[in-house]
Amino acid sequence: MTSSTKPGAVHYLQKNGDDIVVTGKPGVSGRFASYLDIGKFRNGSYRVRPDVLEAWGGLGVKDGWIQRSANPPLFLDPIRFAKWLQAMKVRLLAANNPDGSAV
């Protein structure tokens, strides 16, 4: 593990290992306090709504397909997505399950 303890630093557990630990930055990192309504069931699966896909600049999956995977789809325009997310003014929580409930 690296010796850095700065928030937002990436720590490798082993020099050539696959495990990575990432710490957040207070005030700008965290879990969303509530969900963002971005999708709906259409064309036989759950997909990002067309208006949201357009606002984001698209995704690297066909027709906004929402997959449950360790590898989320790529944002085709990450800066545009970041601006959209910032405009949503989502309140962030600095802890997992702060009310003690399991999700």
Side-chain angles (χ1 to χ4, degrees):
M1 187 177 256
T2 64
S3 60
S4 174
T5 57
K6 293 180 184 178
V10 175
H11 305 280
Y12 296 91
L13 297 179
Q14 295 178 4
K15 193 170 189 174
N16 294 317
D18 293 332
D19 296 322
I20 299 173
V21 177
V22 179
T23 57
K25 293 180 181 180
V28 296
S29 297
R31 181 177 169 178
F32 290 178
S34 62
Y35 77 96
L36 291 175
D37 185 13
I38 62 165
K40 65 180 183 176
F41 192 82
R42 64 181 168 81
N43 296 334
S45 64
Y46 287 96
R47 299 175 187 277
V48 177
R49 293 191 332 252
D51 61 307
V52 176
L53 274 175
E54 184 176 332
W56 289 356
L59 290 174
V61 292
K62 185 177 181 181
D63 197 22
W65 180 54
I66 298 174
Q67 58 189 355
R68 293 182 209 169
S69 169
N71 300 311
L74 295 175
F75 291 98
L76 298 181
D77 190 340
I79 304 257
R80 194 165 158 181
F81 167 76
K83 287 179 181 178
W84 174 88
L85 184 59
Q86 189 173 30
M88 295 295 105
K89 298 185 179 182
V90 178
R91 189 170 61 89
L92 299 173
L93 305 176
N96 283 328
N97 306 321
D99 62 359
S101 66
V103 175

